Amino acid sequence: MHSPTFRIGVVNASSRLAPERGQAISDWAARMWPDGEVELVMHPSLYEVHGHFGGDDATRAQALIDYANDPSLDAIWFARGGYGSCRIAEAVIPHLNHHARAKRYLGYSDVGTLLAAFYKHGIGTVAHGPMAADGSRNDETGLRAVNWLRTGDTTSLEPSLLSDPRPAVAFNLTILDQLVGTPVEPDLSGHVIMVEEVSEAMYRIDRMMFHLTGQASIRKCAGLRMGRASDVTENDPDFGMSAEEIARHWCERAGIEYLGSADIGHDRDNKVVPFGPR
């Protein structure tokens, strides 16, 4: 007797998604679960195009509302990042029902703005972790994501979470730096904050850490961990500090405890960080 199919809604809140990338996601799931144990349900608007975005703001917002509120779907997996979720984050919150509040949501990068808004308003269980496009490129990455969406699998988690009981969050550094002070900023008092970055010069990482650690709200956190900074753009001359050295510097100046590295980043090894207490 087969167990019920676990149905994961795939939506796009950010940049446009190429149809061939969406097909790769569907093909990957069909290969991994040929018996139908897991089904990825692709939203009909997934390939909409509106300039930079995967459909206009109203289309992307409605897609998320539709799938979050759908009782036939067990979880929501964001298709990709890029840019655009900040344009819809506030708009979706008032329209989410009790089904939305019972789901798990997974993504990172640009989607961090939505994760912050959902966490602030108690919408479901949200986590920074691989997106659907990542999973279709690497089996281990995809399984890590789906296993957490299905069961909250602890082997998918960032390792420090298994020994530190304090509430935690994780964000792309640029995203967290930009959402602080806005209506979607959650209260991160007492939280361990993990950050990662991609495709930024070290001087920009330094400047963002200056701004982030200078915020009164962020200084109430329990501490900070630095994830990987990948595809760092060239500094001429060389900046002379690593991302971890930058994080240590600004944490010390701000009176924030630096807790070490985090196993998160814009890569296939990106681990899952559920928001909140363990």
Side-chain angles (χ1 to χ4, degrees):
M1 182 175 177
H2 290 296
S3 59
T5 297
F6 190 86
R7 305 182 77 235
I8 301 172
V10 178
V11 297
N12 184 16
S14 306
S15 301
R16 61 174 70 178
L17 181 73
E20 57 268 26
R21 175 48 51 195
Q23 188 61 53
I25 295 169
S26 295
D27 292 346
W28 173 78
R31 176 171 60 83
M32 297 302 296
W33 294 280
D35 61 354
E37 183 182 357
V38 173
E39 179 186 3
L40 299 190
V41 184
M42 316 294 272
H43 195 277
S45 71
L46 206 59
Y47 310 122
E48 292 287 326
V49 172
H50 184 78
H52 171 95
F53 306 104
D56 62 22
D57 292 349
T59 296
R60 299 193 325 282
Q62 192 60 53
L64 179 53
I65 293 165
D66 289 345
Y67 268 21
N69 288 345
D70 187 340
S72 74
L73 296 174
D74 300 296
I76 301 297
W77 200 6
F78 292 98
R80 63 155 301 169
Y83 171 68
S85 74
C86 66
R87 298 171 64 103
I88 68 171
E90 290 180 81
V92 303
I93 296 298
H95 302 285
L96 300 176
N97 65 20
H98 65 284
H99 297 297
R101 293 177 179 272
K103 288 181 171 65
R104 289 191 177 102
Y105 301 81
L106 185 64
Y108 71 112
S109 189
D110 179 68
V111 174
T113 305
L114 277 170
L115 301 182
F118 278 39
Y119 185 53
K120 178 177 182 175
H121 292 278
I123 307 296
T125 301
V126 303
H128 176 287
M131 288 184 281
D134 299 320
S136 66
R137 295 185 179 102
N138 182 269
D139 289 351
E140 184 179 346
T141 305
L143 287 172
R144 182 186 312 128
V146 172
N147 288 343
W148 181 79
L149 284 169
R150 292 177 73 187
T151 67
D153 177 33
T154 57
T155 65
S156 298
L157 301 183
E158 198 282 330
S160 68
L161 298 176
L162 301 179
S163 58
D164 190 338
R166 292 175 293 186
V169 294
F171 291 94
N172 171 263
L173 174 58
T174 298
I175 299 302
L176 180 57
D177 188 49
Q178 292 292 303
L179 68 82
V180 169
T182 72
V184 299
E185 180 188 3
D187 181 2
L188 299 182
S189 301
H191 287 62
V192 173
I193 298 174
M194 305 184 198
V195 292
E196 45 78 18
E197 191 51 87
V198 65
S199 300
E200 295 286 1
M202 280 299 174
Y203 83 88
R204 291 180 60 85
I205 292 174
D206 190 75
R207 183 164 59 195
M208 286 188 284
M209 286 299 299
F210 149 71
H211 182 258
L212 182 67
T213 59
Q215 304 305 305
S217 60
I218 296 299
R219 291 185 176 187
K220 296 176 183 177
C221 75
L224 184 139
R225 290 183 177 274
M226 175 59 76
R228 288 178 289 280
S230 56
D231 296 327
V232 176
T233 58
E234 185 179 359
N235 242 110
D236 185 15
D238 183 71
F239 191 70
M241 295 176 73
S242 68
E244 183 166 13
E245 288 169 336
I246 289 170
R248 286 181 180 275
H249 171 84
W250 287 109
C251 283
E252 182 177 353
R253 287 185 60 164
I256 295 171
E257 184 177 2
Y258 182 71
L259 300 171
S261 62
D263 193 4
I264 61 172
H266 272 65
D267 54 41
R268 65 179 57 185
D269 295 323
N270 189 22
K271 302 304 189 295
V272 177
V273 180
F275 285 25
R278 302 286 66 73

